[in-house]
Amino acid sequence: MSTNTTAQPPAAAVAKDAHWSAKMARLRARKLPERTLSICDDQDAKTAVTEAALNLAKARAGALAECTEQGIREEQRDAWVASNPQVLAADTGLTRAQDALADATLTLTFRAVPRPVWEQLLRDHAPTEAQADQGMEYNVDTFPAALISACHVERDAGGAEVEGMSAADAQELLDTWADAEAKALFTAALVINQTLRADLGKG
């Protein structure tokens, strides 16, 4: 009488498979990189932050000098400076200025697209014959707006993603903004797709 037995894989093979499965799970879970572009036309708000930061630095320097005059021990100086009334007031002023600047600033977020999407965009916006002769990889007239739209991420107040910039919206901004700002807009979407987050070790 024979008894059927099921062969068990070697323990080392099981451990190796579990190790790779865990690593692969982490690789799959990686999020596409994001980049933000901040836009603020309120020069007064920017200046206020700079001045508030200088005021805080001066207040801290003054408080530190006072520590020396009053013989405050080295290990107590940080806490003494932090609790100084002038320092506290200046710190509050800086926080208010930064909050005002944040309210006056528009932020655009861009996320890299998966490789197949990137390659499809290049196919959909291939360079003209003249552009190809100049070494262009894409149609410089249509690709920027398409890429900006594909990469733009818009979130509502609760953090949920909502519909963002269309290609038409992007083209309008590219056509109406100053050249340097239009280039900054396109660059924000382009660079996030060309930033390498992996370190290539030496073989």
Side-chain angles (χ1 to χ4, degrees):
M1 180 177 178
S2 62
T3 303
N4 292 327
T5 59
T6 302
Q8 297 297 321
V14 173
K16 181 179 180 181
D17 182 65
H19 171 79
W20 173 247
S21 295
K23 182 175 286 188
M24 189 62 190
R26 291 181 62 185
L27 291 171
R28 289 193 185 101
R30 294 180 75 230
K31 295 181 179 179
L32 292 166
E34 292 187 358
R35 180 187 183 95
T36 60
L37 175 67
S38 297
I39 304 160
C40 181
D41 296 329
D42 192 336
Q43 190 58 47
D44 290 339
K46 296 178 182 178
T47 301
V49 170
T50 300
E51 292 177 347
L54 289 173
N55 288 338
L56 179 57
K58 290 177 181 177
R60 285 176 174 166
L64 192 57
E66 195 173 338
C67 279
T68 303
E69 293 172 1
Q70 296 195 14
I72 304 298
R73 288 184 298 179
E74 186 76 28
E75 64 273 16
Q76 297 177 331
R77 289 184 180 181
D78 287 346
W80 197 91
V81 168
S83 63
N84 181 278
Q86 284 74 28
V87 172
L88 291 172
D91 190 52
T92 298
L94 177 57
T95 298
R96 289 175 178 169
Q98 290 172 331
D99 289 343
L101 179 60
D103 290 339
T105 300
L106 294 174
T107 300
L108 296 176
T109 301
F110 298 95
R111 179 191 297 144
V113 295
R115 181 183 58 79
V117 176
W118 170 265
E119 293 180 345
Q120 186 62 52
L121 282 169
L122 290 177
R123 286 193 292 270
D124 291 343
H125 301 277
T128 64
E129 184 176 344
Q131 291 170 346
D133 289 342
Q134 296 176 2
M136 301 296 184
E137 185 182 8
Y138 48 77
N139 187 315
V140 297
D141 297 319
T142 63
F143 179 76
L147 180 65
I148 291 168
S149 175
C151 295
H152 178 241
V153 178
E154 186 67 17
R155 296 183 175 94
D156 62 20
E161 292 187 15
V162 295
E163 184 176 353
M165 195 183 310
S166 67
D169 292 335
Q171 190 62 59
E172 179 183 349
L173 298 180
L174 291 171
D175 291 341
T176 58
W177 282 8
D179 183 62
E181 294 179 336
K183 286 178 179 176
L185 177 62
F186 175 45
T187 299
L190 182 64
V191 168
I192 197 60
N193 285 284
Q194 298 180 331
T195 299
L196 182 64
R197 294 187 296 175
D199 293 327
L200 302 180
K202 295 181 180 180

